[in-house]
Amino acid sequence: MALDKHQIRRNIAWRVAQELNDGDVVNLGIGMPSLVANEIDCDIELILQSENGLLGIAGLADIINTDLDLVNAGGQPITAAIGASYFNSADSFAIIRGGHVDVTVLGALQVDEQGNLANWIIPGKMVPGMGGAMDLVVGAKKVIVSMEHTAKGKHKLLNHCTLPLTATKQVNMIITEMGVIEITPKGMLLTEIAPEYTVEEVQQATEATLIIAENLRVIPFPE
């Protein structure tokens, strides 16, 4: 049975959350990555950071708890954890550029087999700017791309990115509705696959040639 858009996005967010560990300082990007905040296991204690100046996000806010003065970098209402710290954007980027972020989770337009990332502009379309992505992917210790595997049937996992790059050779892992892919010196390594897909289907949706892990696992998505 085909999954709806909501379930696909939640599955991706849940799988990203499994990569986060106690004590991590984590930055969640705009869009799908922000959903990860609500999928983190209650037994995991980590610190969510927002580049607009907050250390200690509790999660996305519901209608009852919405405070329009408390938002993440994408303008979504959020809640603050007990002990959260507020500061200006310059201090926030000092944290990022100083290498104090353990994991950053971002969306992408394209990723290639060398770990190059294009996620900020499509030529000819107006955008306000690159934002914090350029600093995050270079400053964070681990970079996870969270996205749908294709865009309107077009490949997003490529041999070589064709859109303007955000950064070169910085992506460590890609998590999509189809599986988990690690960037290695030899290329894209498929380590986990979603139960709805076959290896052949994942490869067909990927321009780059996938290396299949010997111990390829099926992702145990929650019911």
Side-chain angles (χ1 to χ4, degrees):
M1 182 176 67
L3 299 177
D4 61 30
K5 197 84 166 178
H6 172 77
Q7 190 61 52
I8 286 173
R9 292 165 66 88
R10 185 172 182 188
N11 281 353
I12 295 171
W14 177 87
R15 181 57 189 84
V16 172
Q18 310 315 301
E19 293 297 313
L20 308 180
N21 301 301
D22 275 329
D24 282 347
V25 175
V26 181
N27 180 286
L28 301 177
I30 295 170
M32 191 185 302
S34 67
L35 301 178
V36 175
N38 288 348
E39 301 297 332
I40 298 168
D41 193 290
C42 60
D43 294 329
I44 301 296
E45 294 186 9
L46 46 78
I47 301 173
L48 296 179
Q49 188 257 6
S50 180
E51 60 261 38
N52 56 329
L54 176 60
L55 199 60
I57 300 171
L60 295 174
D62 56 26
I63 296 176
I64 297 175
N65 295 308
T66 293
D67 178 349
L68 297 180
D69 290 325
L70 185 58
V71 297
N72 62 18
Q76 296 172 298
I78 55 176
T79 56
I82 295 174
S85 177
Y86 303 88
F87 36 83
N88 66 37
S89 184
D91 289 335
S92 185
F93 275 90
I95 292 172
I96 295 167
R97 294 166 183 166
H100 304 295
V101 174
D102 295 294
V103 183
T104 185
V105 184
L106 305 100
L109 298 169
Q110 296 177 343
V111 182
D112 68 27
E113 59 187 5
Q114 295 185 46
N116 297 327
L117 171 67
N119 80 336
W120 76 282
I121 190 170
I122 296 175
K125 291 192 175 183
M126 294 293 292
V127 293
M130 187 177 288
M134 179 175 60
D135 298 274
L136 283 163
V137 295
V138 175
K141 296 169 187 173
K142 182 175 183 178
V143 176
I144 299 175
V145 167
S146 155
M147 67 178 188
E148 292 187 41
H149 206 96
T150 59
K152 297 180 180 178
K154 294 184 178 180
H155 292 141
K156 297 174 70 175
L157 279 64
L158 308 175
N159 294 315
H160 302 284
C161 291
T162 58
L163 295 174
L165 295 182
T166 305
T168 61
K169 300 181 179 180
Q170 296 297 324
V171 175
N172 302 113
M173 178 179 286
I174 306 161
I175 298 178
T176 78
E177 77 280 13
M178 288 189 164
V180 178
I181 296 168
E182 296 180 7
I183 302 296
T184 75
K186 294 183 178 180
M188 291 185 174
L189 175 67
L190 181 67
T191 61
E192 299 181 32
I193 188 169
E196 298 85 7
Y197 299 97
T198 65
V199 170
E200 290 74 21
E201 287 173 329
V202 180
Q203 179 60 78
Q204 187 176 14
T206 308
E207 181 188 81
T209 300
L210 294 172
I211 304 166
I212 311 303
E214 292 182 4
N215 59 338
L216 180 66
R217 300 179 297 274
V218 176
I219 304 175
F221 288 126
E223 296 293 334

